Amino acid sequence: MSVVMLTLRFSSLSLIGVLAAAVVRKEPFPVEVLAGVTAASVTDRSCFTYLRVRRTV
């Protein structure tokens, strides 16, 4: 028997996107944007969960 579970939080995706954009951009992000995304990532609990249970005989 094997079990695979993957949980992906939507706030983590948005935080990774903003951080990647901050690295690529030449001018820095405003502090308000970074503070807003950080606050949203802390308070947001929505996620996508994938569960796969495989049983072999």
Side-chain angles (χ1 to χ4, degrees):
M1 176 183 246
S2 65
V3 177
V4 175
M5 183 171 181
L6 173 70
T7 302
L8 184 63
R9 291 181 55 192
F10 295 127
S11 59
S12 298
L13 286 177
S14 64
L15 188 59
I16 289 170
V18 167
L19 291 176
V23 170
V24 173
R25 289 176 49 141
K26 300 201 188 245
E27 63 274 355
F29 270 119
V31 176
E32 294 83 11
V33 172
L34 296 176
V37 170
T38 303
S41 68
V42 169
T43 59
D44 185 25
R45 302 306 266 173
S46 60
C47 65
F48 173 76
T49 302
Y50 173 75
L51 176 64
R52 179 180 176 186
V53 179
R54 185 174 182 185
R55 183 176 179 181
T56 58
V57 179

